[in-house]
Amino acid sequence: MDPQSTIILGKAIGAGLAMIGAAGGGIGIGLAVGGAVQAMGRNPDHTPTIQTNMILGVAFAEAVAIYALVVSLIILFVLS
Amino acid sequence: MNSFWNGKRRFVALLMFLAGVFVALEVPPVIPFIQLPGEKFPEGFDIPFTGIRWTNTMVGSVIVWVVLLLFVVYVSRRRPKDGNEAPPGGFYYLFEVLFEGLMGFVGGIAGGRHFRVIFNMFMTIFLVVLMANWMELVPGVDTIGFIHPHVKEKYDAEKDEYKLVTTDGYEIYQGFLGISYVNGQCNWISPADEAAADEAALASADAARLAAMDEQAVKAAYARYQAAHNGHGDEHAAETTAEADEASAAYDEVLAARVAEKQARADRGCHTGVATAPWQDGYEPYDKTKAKGISLHPDPSSEEAKLVPWVVLPFVRVPSTDLNMTLTIALISFVMIQYIGFKALGIGYLTKFFNFGTLFKSPLGGIDVAVGLLELIGDFAKILSFSFRLLGNIFAGSILLFVMSFLIPILPWPFFILEFFVGVIQALVFALLTAIFMNLATISHHHDDDHDHDEAH
């Protein structure tokens, strides 16, 4: 295989592996939103508070997935 | 709003759809050449008095600031001087709804002694990031720009000379309204690569011929030829000819595949690096010395333009897709968090990080020290998480828009709606986290009266 193809192959596999990290963020967001929706269902009066905290929690969980995304974007578009 | 879309005005949507179809047919969509860092403008586009070249994300941020400034001027001029004046209406109402809604929202989270500082910071960051994020929805951003050749000067240490290196890109054509377009149907292939592919096709055709007529078959054919000459009938001679035909058919078949490939490219209006192939008449091998003579900015309509790949360098790019912008806002937010911490708690704010007070007093004092150091690291990690969260979301969003506009050029609207909401949520998260961290910094680590004061609100 010529070097150019090897580089592309390595980049593609690396970027794909880096995105495995997004799974954790997905699980985290699912748990947070699931919990928040249950809480809102039981306690509709407190919806604004719950929503704010949910968005915060989701943002924190998402940040980890976004790190994985940034790493894979850097592998794809910056490494050469 | 509803009455506007009733009746005859529905044709606007149809017109937009038809315009989409027309443009998609006239100018085939292109997957842009994606780059993470902000792209530098060509030479001669310096920021005055600095010597720094403009990048397209900088232009984006300048537009954001100008729009926000106009917004501020408008709102402060329209603001009623006293309560009895008639409200000015229009766009002003939107601002009031936004302002009052967010004021209540932040008041519920950080409504304490430092509410004014925190809310100013919240609103500034929210508006800046929101404007920056929404820029990706504006037509022309990321798509209209300089068409420039994607060549780089690279220093070759062995030969002590500079040479031009070509990378990926597209071919260009002069199309609709005489504008130069990047041709999304034609990935650029360098003439050298094209010549190499021709040679490879020739070599594999030769191999196919040899396989069809391998050595043993040649010997057998020769034997039959001898036998035929010795007087026994013409049947064997015919067989030999058939075998030779088979070999040449195999040769032609392999070459035909390559010819078809080149023809398909030519049919799409693309150039092929060499006009003819080695097996055709008038073969001209690609002249390597030509590549050295290519200027960095050839005229798009010249013959030279066919020798280099072209990409679009947009005039304006979404500022939040550049780490410089997100990192700057993250640093400002970090500094403000520390500032308000010191302002509220004085020098005692540092005990949050260097908590040696309980080290020799309580058996668990060591844990307090470790927790303080963790908080210190965590505070610096905020810079990283703030900047990367915004960058990752918006950069991924704009790539999503590129790809969807390429795949379904006439109906990418749902993804624009998605990005509209992602822009709001990311701006809100950025500003909200800043507000919350600022509020946390004002609360003392020890449960003293300052804490109770905040609780009272």
Side-chain angles (χ1 to χ4, degrees):
Chain A
M1 203 191 298
D2 63 316
Q4 196 60 37
S5 315
T6 320
I7 291 170
I8 295 172
L9 181 74
K11 270 180 169 181
I13 293 176
L17 286 178
M19 281 311 288
I20 292 176
I27 295 168
I29 293 172
L31 287 174
V33 177
V37 168
Q38 277 192 346
M40 283 187 248
R42 286 170 199 209
N43 215 344
D45 291 346
H46 290 259
T47 300
T49 325
I50 296 168
Q51 233 162 16
T52 314
N53 287 319
M54 181 193 80
I55 290 174
L56 273 183
V58 165
F60 280 125
E62 195 193 37
V64 181
I66 293 292
Y67 297 156
L69 179 71
V70 169
V71 168
S72 98
L73 288 176
I74 287 174
I75 290 175
L76 282 178
F77 301 124
V78 178
L79 289 187
S80 61
Chain B
M1 197 64 201
N2 208 13
S3 62
F4 180 81
W5 288 108
N6 279 342
K8 286 178 186 171
R9 291 218 171 83
R10 245 176 263 153
F11 77 97
V12 174
L14 187 67
L15 272 185
M16 284 172 71
F17 181 77
L18 288 178
V21 173
F22 173 74
V23 171
L25 288 175
E26 190 59 40
V27 184
V30 180
I31 284 204
F33 194 79
I34 296 163
Q35 271 179 306
L36 189 52
E39 292 136 86
K40 265 189 191 170
F41 277 4
E43 275 173 44
F45 289 90
D46 287 353
I47 300 174
F49 314 117
T50 56
I52 303 169
R53 199 91 60 81
W54 283 102
T55 67
N56 47 12
T57 43
M58 273 195 232
V59 177
S61 344
V62 169
I63 292 176
V64 166
W65 289 114
V66 169
V67 167
L68 278 181
L69 216 60
L70 292 177
F71 188 63
V72 167
V73 169
Y74 173 86
V75 168
S76 55
R77 282 191 157 200
R78 278 318 226 9
R79 190 163 58 91
K81 294 293 172 287
D82 57 71
N84 299 327
E85 212 174 309
F91 188 61
Y92 180 81
Y93 284 138
L94 180 69
F95 180 78
E96 244 183 28
V97 167
L98 190 74
F99 192 84
E100 297 225 332
L102 288 177
M103 209 164 168
F105 184 59
V106 178
I109 296 159
R113 213 155 26 115
H114 305 280
F115 173 71
R116 282 189 70 91
V117 183
I118 292 176
F119 182 67
N120 280 344
M121 209 55 212
F122 173 90
M123 205 65 190
T124 313
I125 290 180
F126 178 73
L127 286 178
V128 170
V129 177
L130 186 70
M131 285 293 147
N133 291 352
W134 275 354
M135 254 176 111
E136 64 182 336
L137 308 172
V138 178
V141 172
D142 279 324
T143 49
I144 299 174
F146 301 103
I147 287 198
H148 86 134
H150 202 222
V151 284
K152 276 180 204 155
E153 264 184 308
K154 201 174 180 185
Y155 180 65
D156 188 353
E158 273 179 31
K159 292 178 185 166
D160 187 32
E161 62 179 12
Y162 286 92
K163 59 179 184 180
L164 293 179
V165 184
T166 53
T167 36
D168 300 337
Y170 298 98
E171 291 175 9
I172 49 166
Y173 65 99
Q174 307 254 322
F176 187 55
L177 296 177
I179 304 166
S180 294
Y181 293 96
V182 165
N183 193 347
Q185 311 232 312
C186 304
N187 281 332
W188 186 79
I189 301 177
S190 83
D193 285 352
E194 193 84 9
D198 279 343
E199 299 286 355
L202 205 60
S204 63
D206 269 334
R209 175 164 60 184
L210 281 179
M213 195 174 65
D214 65 5
E215 237 179 295
Q216 293 231 332
V218 173
K219 275 183 191 162
Y222 185 67
R224 281 197 295 274
Y225 174 73
Q226 290 284 340
H229 260 261
N230 290 345
H232 290 295
D234 292 348
E235 298 155 18
H236 293 300
E239 249 175 62
T240 313
T241 328
E243 222 158 57
D245 283 347
E246 201 179 296
S248 107
Y251 180 80
D252 286 344
E253 198 180 310
V254 174
L255 279 190
R258 174 72 188 138
V259 170
E261 194 186 309
K262 289 181 86 155
Q263 188 58 44
R265 246 181 101 72
D267 286 347
R268 274 181 289 149
C270 311
H271 310 298
T272 46
V274 249
T276 48
W279 59 87
Q280 287 164 338
D281 292 335
Y283 168 62
E284 276 179 59
Y286 169 65
D287 184 7
K288 272 187 184 161
T289 55
K290 250 185 182 173
K292 280 181 190 162
I294 300 172
S295 69
L296 277 171
H297 299 284
D299 180 17
S301 57
S302 67
E303 274 297 301
E304 235 179 14
K306 290 175 187 168
L307 294 173
V308 284
W310 294 76
V311 289
V312 172
L313 199 168
F315 292 132
V316 184
R317 201 175 110 179
V318 187
S320 357
T321 59
D322 192 337
L323 189 60
N324 290 312
M325 187 262 194
T326 58
L327 188 62
T328 309
I329 302 184
L331 281 173
I332 292 172
S333 139
F334 172 78
V335 168
M336 281 306 287
I337 291 168
Q338 309 312 320
Y339 162 77
I340 205 163
F342 281 114
K343 195 185 165 199
L345 304 175
I347 202 73
Y349 176 65
L350 282 175
T351 57
K352 200 173 180 181
F353 307 122
F354 307 103
N355 193 3
F356 298 109
T358 55
L359 188 51
F360 301 110
K361 286 178 196 159
S362 104
L364 294 177
I367 289 177
D368 279 351
V369 174
V371 167
L373 290 178
L374 272 182
E375 284 231 14
L376 186 67
I377 298 167
D379 249 31
F380 282 100
K382 274 174 202 160
I383 303 174
L384 200 75
S385 90
F386 268 134
S387 54
F388 276 176
R389 182 187 300 118
L390 185 60
L391 171 87
N393 267 296
I394 304 304
F395 190 63
S398 52
I399 291 176
L400 176 78
L401 291 187
F402 295 157
V403 173
M404 284 308 155
S405 308
F406 172 75
L407 291 177
I408 30 173
I410 48 177
L411 265 179
W413 307 340
F415 297 95
F416 278 79
I417 297 168
L418 175 78
E419 283 309 307
F420 179 88
F421 288 117
V422 168
V424 180
I425 289 174
Q426 287 312 315
L428 193 67
V429 161
F430 202 118
L432 193 64
L433 285 179
T434 306
I436 286 171
F437 288 141
M438 281 173 88
N439 190 44
L440 278 180
T442 61
I443 298 169
S444 174
H445 190 64
H446 312 287
H447 297 275
D448 53 17
D449 38 0
D450 193 77
H451 186 68
D452 297 334
H453 179 83
D454 276 346
E455 285 291 290
H457 281 264

